Amino acid sequence: MTTNTATTEKTGARTDEAATLIGDARERIDSLDDRIIGLIQERMAVSAVIQEARISSGGRRVNLNREMEVLGHYRDALGKPGTALAMTMLELCRGRI
């Protein structure tokens, strides 16, 4: 059985079975994305605490050595695209105070 045009356009599937699988998987991805966003927001808050403590003690807002460690961790875990992901995350976490 083939899907109707609206389902095909929405999922790219050519059967109802595939459309259902894709729809379910997309719901799971949306849920994961919400969790990832929440974790990044939590990381931003923790980073702000660290930056505030560092600045109030006379240090610099950013610790480049630590950022290099984070970049390496993401690169090791996810390959080259992990570095770009970590850079974006670090950018989100800088300078919120």
Side-chain angles (χ1 to χ4, degrees):
M1 174 188 289
T2 61
T3 60
N4 63 38
T5 304
T7 303
T8 301
E9 289 176 9
K10 186 173 180 176
T11 65
R14 297 187 182 257
T15 66
D16 288 337
E17 182 179 309
T20 298
L21 183 113
I22 290 167
D24 291 347
R26 285 182 177 171
E27 285 181 23
R28 180 76 174 123
I29 286 174
D30 291 344
S31 175
L32 289 166
D33 285 343
D34 288 342
R35 289 172 49 200
I36 291 166
I37 290 166
L39 289 170
I40 290 171
Q41 290 170 331
E42 184 177 346
R43 190 189 193 287
M44 291 167 66
V46 172
S47 182
V49 169
I50 292 168
Q51 289 174 52
E52 188 174 318
R54 192 180 297 121
I55 291 168
S56 68
S57 72
R60 298 179 60 177
R61 180 174 50 89
V62 176
N63 180 329
L64 297 178
N65 288 334
R66 172 62 179 153
E67 289 197 357
M68 293 305 294
E69 289 176 14
V70 172
L71 291 170
H73 181 69
Y74 275 71
R75 182 191 61 244
D76 292 347
L78 302 172
K80 186 177 178 181
T83 304
L85 178 62
M87 285 295 296
T88 299
M89 186 198 51
L90 290 169
E91 182 179 344
L92 286 169
C93 292
R94 283 187 204 123
R96 296 287 181 177
I97 58 172

